[in-house]
Amino acid sequence: MELSRVDAIIERNGSRGASLLAILQDVQDEANYLPREALEHVSKRLELPLARVYAMATFFQAFHLEPRGKYVCTVCMGTACHVRGAARLVEQLERDLEVKSGGTTKDLQFTVEEVNCVGACALGPLVIINGEYHGTMTADRLTKTVEGLKKAEGGTR
Amino acid sequence: MTLNLTINGVRVEAEEGESLLDVARRNGFEIPSLCHHEAVAAYGACRLCLVEVTKGGRKKLTTSCNYEVLGGIEVVTESAAIRRHRAMVLELILAEAPESATVKALAAEYGVTRSRFAASGAGEDRDGCILCGLCARVCAEVVGANALTFRKRGDNRQMGTPFVEEPQTCIACGACAWVCPTSCVGFDEQNGERKVHRWKRSLPLAKTEKGHAFAPQFQLFHFRKLAKLEADFYKKAPGER
Amino acid sequence: MTRIGKASELAAYRAELLKKRPADAKVVAVCCGTGCNAYGAQKVYAAFAAELAKQGVKDWALRSTGCHGFCERGTLVVMFPEGMLYQRVKPEDVAEIVEKTLKGGETLERFLYDDPVTGEKHRLEHEIPFYKHQERLILGQNGQLNPESIDDYIALGGYLGLAKALEHGADWTLEEVKKANVRGRGGGGFPAGKKWETCRNAKSDKHYVICNADEGDPGAFMDRSVLEGNPHSVIEGMIIGALAIGSDEGFIYVRHEYPLAVKRLEQALVEARGLGLLGEKILGSSLSFDIRINRGGGAFVCGESTALMASIEGRVGEPRAKHINTAIQGLYNKPSNLNNVETWANIPLVINRGAEWYTSIGTKGSTGTKIFSLVGKVNNTGLVEVPMGMTLRKIIFEIGGGIPAGRKFKAVQTGGPSGGCLPAEKLDLPVDFDTLWNEGSMMGSGGMIVMDDRTCMVDVAKYFLGFLKFESCGKCTTCREGIRRLHELVTAVTEGRATEETLQLIEDLSETVEAASLCALGTTATNPVRSTLKFFREEYLAHVKERRCPAAVCKTLIRYDINEKCTGCMVCAKRCPQKCISGERKKLHVIDQSKCIKCGICLDVCKFDAVEVK
């Protein structure tokens, strides 16, 4: 990520400690993760210890220090989804993509994540793929959905 | 302003703004704690300094380190319930730091000689760290180096350095090792180098005019700057002046 | 947009709006809440826009609205003024609806709601049992306005509460809120008026007003629905609060998981500023107040007031001790009044219609309505707003339509991770702040998760502990280690590795976690495990003594088998990821238990009910 982009984000949010969370969010929105050089730059510009910036970046679940896949598959783990079998969907994705929850496939195509409730409980169990909600999901249908995405990417996997 | 309160039925005086833990200890009442140090602000992480405070007729359990004294409160520092909770907390801590002499001795005082909980088992191994945060607080509040921090949260929480690498702002002063209640930081000097093991930091030692190595250059630089000392101040070691 | 210079001019502005939108106007309202959007509501809306133009329909207006609450049946389309509800509408249905219903006046039976219990069909939205027993003071407007239009809100009487408050002054406003006894909808149930008064009386050059929109309880989404469907109601509430408290700066702390809510709020703030309802000298009065939005970073603990404030200050969300409460020393150590979304949304109603009217709804100790998200194993899932004091039974069985597939009600979980599970014998309890608390559960923010006989209560306890060990900030030993260890112990129960001593240790440790943790996350964390141990001890004992999971949920203790209903279609064998199902075509299949990983796919794909789990 270009540091000038980080500068622009800092300008927009205000160069002060109170803006740290907002700045990191905007950086992640642009880069899809928090690149190390961006964190170091924010620390320098805001005159905050790197330790504090790093603490923020690891405390909040929204942040990722590693690049994520082209397709981010987020399984909602809210209670309503849980009682309708959400844990099985995570396991299914882990099997299908050969990656642990929280991880990204080596080819940077897929990331499997869990989120603690997105407030769409009536649709549970729910999987969100790149922001699109897929409600009342089953393990079988999930496999088919993922297969479809793989195929769309050329089917080389 | 002087405040009056009672601790275990004894009337004691305190100044406004003092913490209950400090007041109690000054008056000879023993309260255990592992995350408190006079050099830094109270944090309230270990939960061992739990006491019972009655204010306006209402009783509640609270940690004493971060409780500012109030006039008229009645404090109980030991009771069956308090001992039971401290024992349970120590059992939790003992599972994290089974080798620590301090923790073992304190646990024994509460009748805890073994933990019913499996050894650590946290997401990442903590190697005897009980996450009291003293090292990071001393580093930030006293030393001003800000080399350490908690990372992540919940049961994934860890103490360490940014990006889990040799911390570039660490001056290897060793304050973190000094305050660590479980002695898990580790610190030594060998062959003209000082090492802080847990953070994988090693710095060469500066020598005085007489050739004594006594502190890392970086540390001396940092101290000279903080205390506004002459550039050649550390040419002599404290014993050489 | 021109600023409205005086409170009295607001009425004139509204009168102009009403001329353009008479009460009997024909409107097709498409629910574009998050639930319906997931079913494709945006496409339905676009199809209506296209069809109305194509078929030359001029007398029907089209409106995109916030969540109607009946998410189970989306996409919802309501035709005003009559209020006929079409459910499960798809984009391909729209042409026919426009032609036959809007133009021809014909009712298309297949889009009407059919009651899963009685099989009866209902035409009108308010006749449906799901809506009939509700009192939708807050949610009701969602279906009638476009959340991106301040004019819609004003036309429905919006900002009249603010005008009235300005006219009567800060003292009167505070008294009214106190008299109404509005209790905080975020969980604690603390009287809002009392908190406002403490904050206002705290001497300081600065007072903050904060809206907690970090709705983190899993299974609760009412705040999302209000923010997305009626953002101005929250903003108006906050401005009224600012007047009563004497504040000039406000914050709304919204979860980043709610991007649509952030967008709607941002737009609403711009519109409100444009009309002079926010900013300098609001409606020409001496009140100046503005609001900023902060996005959360995905941390449940930030719903706790001190952690939320730390987060606004740009620090990690670690709670601090509240020996002095935040109404006196909060954000930047200044007096700060924090209420949640639903609480703020109640304020305009209280002011507009008066405390006397407000206290006539609900019970003596818990006034007004409460929104619940009725989810889990229940027929009509969605958002439900009822007067406080309604029984659990009425909510779950009359509004919720009971348990699907003829299964048996087992428990209802209220209050999220801080709440507890109540069994069938508690169904006749009135739902209010104090009753639930006395039963070892709590109102929380209003999650109501229904569980049937196929839900394992030990698994539910494990679920919440797993949630909390991850969401704890990790500061206190008792919370961080205590919850982690409780999770370990309960996991041992679910895997048949526990003894009765384990249960005793769970109880003892729970007691310490509750007594010795700093913030409410820790002190209430053990409610789910304690309440299930209290009401469902037999189920724990079945796991411990018989190594059996009665609900057939806990993986280690169950097995999948194929019974004689198997037709030998081979679908399960093909889909099995372990390839451990064998059998020839048209012959009974068998699962190799030594290889089975109990993923449940065979059960999902079997069309003949031949896969059993025990």
Side-chain angles (χ1 to χ4, degrees):
Chain A
M1 185 177 192
E2 296 273 334
L3 292 184
S4 62
R5 293 299 313 141
V6 180
D7 284 327
I9 287 169
I10 293 171
E11 293 316 316
R12 191 162 73 226
N13 287 284
S15 179
R16 45 201 172 92
S19 306
L20 182 56
L21 181 55
I23 289 168
L24 296 186
Q25 279 165 333
D26 287 357
V27 170
Q28 167 144 320
D29 283 350
E30 278 198 25
N32 200 24
Y33 77 110
L34 294 176
R36 175 171 180 160
E37 65 275 14
L39 293 179
E40 286 168 345
H41 192 65
V42 168
S43 154
K44 225 174 274 162
R45 284 285 318 270
L46 265 55
E47 293 174 13
L48 294 174
L50 184 61
R52 183 172 152 190
V53 176
Y54 179 75
M56 283 293 268
T58 58
F59 184 88
F60 290 103
Q61 206 192 346
F63 297 134
H64 305 271
L65 296 181
E66 301 289 334
R68 290 189 297 159
K70 183 171 172 191
Y71 297 101
V72 178
C73 308
T74 312
V75 182
C76 179
M77 298 301 278
T79 323
C81 290
H82 175 77
V83 299
R84 291 183 181 181
R88 280 175 44 198
L89 298 180
V90 177
E91 290 165 15
Q92 187 66 21
L93 280 173
E94 289 179 333
R95 269 196 303 273
D96 287 349
L97 296 168
E98 294 170 28
V99 62
K100 282 272 151 214
S101 175
T104 299
T105 55
K106 285 200 192 79
D107 59 1
L108 291 182
Q109 286 292 310
F110 291 93
T111 296
V112 178
E113 285 174 4
E114 295 169 36
V115 61
N116 284 330
C117 195
V118 294
C121 309
L123 307 173
L126 179 78
V127 178
I128 306 165
I129 300 176
N130 284 2
E132 196 182 324
Y133 287 42
H134 300 260
T136 50
M137 189 50 99
T138 63
D140 195 45
R141 195 151 61 80
L142 186 55
T143 296
K144 287 180 183 149
T145 309
V146 169
E147 289 298 330
L149 292 174
K150 280 186 190 169
K151 276 207 190 100
E153 289 298 321
T156 48
R157 282 173 50 85
Chain B
M1 200 176 84
T2 305
L3 305 169
N4 289 301
L5 56 144
T6 69
I7 300 180
N8 298 346
V10 181
R11 244 188 82 173
V12 300
E13 288 187 348
E15 289 304 311
E16 208 176 70
E18 277 192 286
S19 88
L20 182 50
L21 182 67
D22 289 344
V23 174
R25 283 184 175 170
R26 192 176 64 231
N27 285 282
F29 299 99
E30 273 183 39
I31 297 175
S33 95
L34 289 170
C35 74
H36 188 65
H37 194 281
E38 59 191 7
V40 291
Y43 187 54
C46 77
R47 317 308 287 172
L48 280 171
C49 68
L50 212 62
V51 296
E52 184 189 280
V53 175
T54 307
K55 183 175 92 178
R58 281 176 58 188
K59 268 186 200 171
K60 69 167 186 181
L61 285 177
T62 175
T63 43
S64 52
C65 66
N66 57 3
Y67 188 96
E68 254 185 49
V69 283
L70 297 169
I73 55 171
E74 293 161 36
V75 181
V76 174
T77 63
E78 287 263 351
S79 70
I82 291 171
R83 283 194 69 87
R84 203 170 63 238
H85 294 312
R86 284 185 192 154
M88 186 63 89
V89 173
L90 282 163
E91 201 174 333
L92 291 169
I93 292 176
L94 187 61
E96 299 306 305
E99 307 298 328
S100 161
T102 313
V103 173
K104 277 199 279 192
L106 189 55
E109 279 180 43
Y110 284 84
V112 177
T113 50
R114 57 170 277 271
S115 181
R116 283 170 288 180
F117 305 111
S120 192
E124 286 172 67
D125 201 359
R126 298 202 193 112
D127 292 321
C129 172
I130 59 167
L131 302 174
C132 70
L134 264 178
C135 51
R137 285 181 285 139
V138 163
C139 186
E141 293 175 37
V142 179
V143 182
N146 289 300
L148 304 173
T149 181
F150 282 119
R151 68 173 181 274
K152 300 191 185 171
R153 67 171 188 234
D155 64 332
N156 293 317
R157 188 178 242 215
Q158 290 280 342
M159 173 52 72
T161 59
F163 302 101
V164 205
E165 287 173 1
E166 182 174 353
Q168 295 310 305
T169 59
C170 170
I171 59 170
C173 67
C176 51
W178 175 253
V179 296
C180 176
T182 64
S183 310
C184 73
V185 175
F187 170 87
D188 67 22
E189 278 175 16
Q190 265 176 16
N191 310 326
E193 253 195 353
R194 184 184 284 176
K195 279 191 175 147
V196 188
H197 296 291
R198 199 175 179 100
W199 323 128
K200 300 189 173 59
R201 180 67 160 167
S202 53
L203 286 177
L205 294 168
K207 287 187 177 146
T208 64
E209 283 164 349
K210 293 190 177 169
H212 293 123
F214 75 105
Q217 271 167 358
F218 196 12
Q219 177 182 349
L220 299 179
F221 175 78
H222 185 75
F223 282 8
R224 276 205 315 266
K225 208 170 84 181
L226 278 183
K228 300 198 174 70
L229 302 173
E230 298 295 318
D232 61 352
F233 185 84
Y234 288 117
K235 292 287 182 201
K236 290 188 171 69
E240 297 169 353
R241 291 203 179 100
Chain C
M1 209 176 244
T2 46
R3 287 172 66 92
I4 302 172
K6 271 196 224 139
S8 56
E9 286 171 18
L10 184 68
Y13 182 85
R14 180 168 179 243
E16 279 303 308
L17 291 175
L18 288 176
K19 271 189 214 160
K20 280 181 264 169
R21 34 180 300 160
D24 59 353
K26 291 180 179 175
V27 180
V28 192
V30 179
C31 175
C32 291
T34 293
C36 285
N37 270 343
Y39 294 117
Q42 292 298 336
K43 286 181 190 147
V44 173
Y45 180 84
F48 267 108
E51 271 315 312
L52 289 174
K54 194 170 140 200
Q55 299 191 30
V57 180
K58 295 267 185 326
D59 55 340
W60 281 87
L62 177 63
R63 184 184 297 144
S64 147
T65 75
C67 175
H68 293 218
F70 201 8
C71 311
E72 178 81 25
R73 298 286 177 138
T75 296
L76 304 171
V77 173
V78 182
M79 284 147 278
F80 293 106
E82 192 191 20
M84 180 158 70
L85 169 72
Y86 279 2
Q87 39 111 51
R88 292 186 175 150
V89 175
K90 304 239 162 352
E92 57 268 27
D93 302 325
V94 170
E96 187 187 353
I97 294 173
V98 170
E99 191 195 330
K100 297 202 174 137
T101 305
L102 301 190
K103 285 165 77 179
E106 186 187 328
T107 299
L108 297 167
E109 293 272 327
R110 73 176 201 275
F111 296 114
L112 296 182
Y113 170 78
D114 52 330
D115 194 311
V117 183
T118 62
E120 220 179 313
K121 292 223 176 210
H122 296 276
R123 275 187 81 237
L124 302 180
E125 190 179 31
H126 64 260
E127 282 176 354
I128 295 171
F130 178 79
Y131 289 112
K132 198 165 72 184
H133 302 290
Q134 295 193 42
E135 188 153 352
R136 297 165 64 86
L137 301 179
I138 309 287
L139 288 179
Q141 288 194 338
N142 271 20
Q144 297 168 36
L145 56 78
N146 175 352
E148 297 187 4
S149 158
I150 194 170
D151 283 354
D152 272 15
Y153 182 65
I154 292 174
L156 289 172
Y159 289 107
L160 288 181
L162 171 63
K164 187 171 170 189
L166 286 170
E167 190 187 318
H168 287 78
D171 295 345
W172 176 87
T173 304
L174 178 63
E175 277 313 306
E176 206 63 14
V177 173
K178 276 168 67 184
K179 265 193 272 173
N181 193 23
V182 183
R183 294 176 67 173
R185 264 57 171 171
F190 193 82
K194 237 180 171 172
K195 201 195 267 186
W196 289 21
E197 192 168 38
T198 306
C199 184
R200 157 191 155 119
N201 290 342
K203 282 206 176 66
S204 172
D205 55 335
K206 189 90 186 172
H207 293 75
Y208 293 109
V209 163
I210 305 171
C211 172
N212 184 349
D214 193 50
E215 182 172 58
D217 279 10
F221 58 108
M222 61 286 298
D223 289 353
R224 172 175 201 159
S225 167
V226 173
L227 292 169
E228 291 178 359
N230 196 357
H232 285 287
S233 64
V234 179
I235 294 169
E236 184 184 357
M238 288 178 74
I239 307 171
I240 295 170
L243 169 75
I245 290 160
S247 164
D248 64 352
E249 194 172 355
F251 294 88
I252 304 178
Y253 187 88
V254 199
R255 294 181 80 194
H256 85 108
E257 290 92 338
Y258 291 178
L260 184 61
V262 173
K263 185 182 148 222
R264 295 260 161 91
L265 278 169
E266 275 168 354
Q267 182 167 354
L269 291 176
V270 169
E271 285 203 304
R273 282 185 204 115
L275 283 180
L277 296 162
L278 263 182
E280 296 291 314
K281 301 205 179 342
I282 291 170
L283 290 177
S285 72
S286 60
L287 175 68
S288 295
F289 175 70
D290 212 333
I291 297 175
R292 247 195 298 185
I293 298 172
N294 285 65
R295 277 185 298 155
F300 173 73
V301 70
C302 286
E304 198 275 346
S305 60
T306 58
L308 184 150
M309 290 172 197
S311 175
I312 293 181
E313 292 171 12
R315 294 183 285 113
V316 296
E318 256 182 37
R320 58 168 177 79
K322 280 194 276 193
H323 299 306
I324 301 171
N325 79 45
T326 53
I328 298 168
Q329 255 179 44
L331 186 62
Y332 300 112
N333 284 324
K334 303 286 184 188
S336 307
N337 183 85
L338 177 123
N339 288 116
N340 87 327
V341 170
E342 191 183 341
T343 314
W344 286 121
N346 267 275
I347 300 300
L349 284 173
V350 170
I351 298 301
N352 215 351
R353 302 176 71 170
E356 202 174 312
W357 165 82
Y358 190 82
T359 50
S360 72
I361 302 156
T363 67
K364 194 163 177 292
S366 304
T367 53
T369 60
K370 177 77 193 84
I371 309 175
F372 293 98
S373 64
L374 189 58
V375 295
K377 308 280 185 72
V378 63
N379 273 315
N380 302 332
T381 49
L383 290 177
V384 168
E385 182 179 352
V386 296
M388 298 260 197
M390 187 179 275
T391 63
L392 284 164
R393 187 185 300 283
K394 189 161 179 181
I395 297 174
I396 295 166
F397 289 89
E398 291 187 33
I399 296 175
I403 316 301
R407 307 223 52 118
K408 216 174 131 222
F409 171 88
K410 182 171 186 177
V412 57
Q413 207 279 346
T414 65
S418 309
C421 294
L422 299 172
E425 56 266 33
K426 302 284 177 189
L427 274 173
D428 290 310
L429 287 178
V431 180
D432 61 54
F433 288 107
D434 309 308
T435 306
L436 288 179
W437 184 258
N438 292 338
E439 292 295 334
S441 184
M442 63 191 275
M443 184 87 95
S445 57
M448 197 174 268
I449 295 118
V450 181
M451 297 165 186
D452 67 5
D453 54 356
R454 285 210 284 196
T455 313
C456 169
M457 302 316 286
V458 188
D459 177 69
V460 168
K462 180 177 128 184
Y463 164 80
F464 282 114
L465 290 166
F467 175 90
L468 288 166
K469 83 185 173 97
F470 179 71
E471 292 292 353
S472 158
C473 79
K475 172 173 167 170
C476 298
T477 306
T478 42
C479 185
R480 181 190 65 242
E481 305 303 329
I483 295 174
R484 175 164 72 88
R485 296 306 188 173
L486 282 170
H487 183 260
E488 262 176 30
L489 297 169
V490 173
T491 302
V493 175
T494 62
E495 293 176 356
R497 294 185 281 111
T499 63
E500 284 184 70
E501 270 171 39
T502 315
L503 300 187
Q504 187 59 49
L505 183 55
I506 290 173
E507 282 177 352
D508 293 348
L509 178 54
S510 294
E511 207 190 315
T512 297
V513 172
E514 178 182 336
S517 300
L518 186 149
C519 79
L521 187 149
T523 58
T524 60
T526 61
N527 279 345
V529 61
R530 288 175 126 185
S531 67
T532 49
L533 255 176
K534 181 174 159 195
F535 294 121
F536 301 93
R537 198 176 183 88
E538 288 305 313
E539 196 165 347
Y540 276 83
L541 288 174
H543 287 74
V544 169
K545 288 183 170 170
E546 302 164 39
R547 290 179 43 81
R548 185 171 66 83
C549 175
V553 171
C554 297
K555 265 191 165 183
T556 322
L557 307 180
I558 57 170
R559 57 179 281 163
Y560 286 82
D561 281 300
I562 296 174
N563 65 25
E564 68 290 343
K565 287 185 197 158
C566 175
T567 61
C569 74
M570 301 190 74
V571 169
C572 61
K574 222 181 276 170
R575 304 295 309 179
C576 173
Q578 291 297 97
K579 300 283 170 237
C580 70
I581 302 179
S582 55
E584 288 168 38
R585 181 167 290 278
K586 297 196 177 164
K587 290 208 175 121
L588 187 74
H589 283 41
V590 181
I591 299 173
D592 178 353
Q593 297 294 335
S594 67
K595 287 196 199 148
C596 175
I597 54 168
K598 296 159 190 173
C599 67
I601 287 185
C602 49
L603 182 71
D604 281 349
V605 297
C606 180
K607 292 194 177 72
F608 307 97
D609 227 2
V611 180
E612 285 178 349
V613 47
K614 267 194 295 243

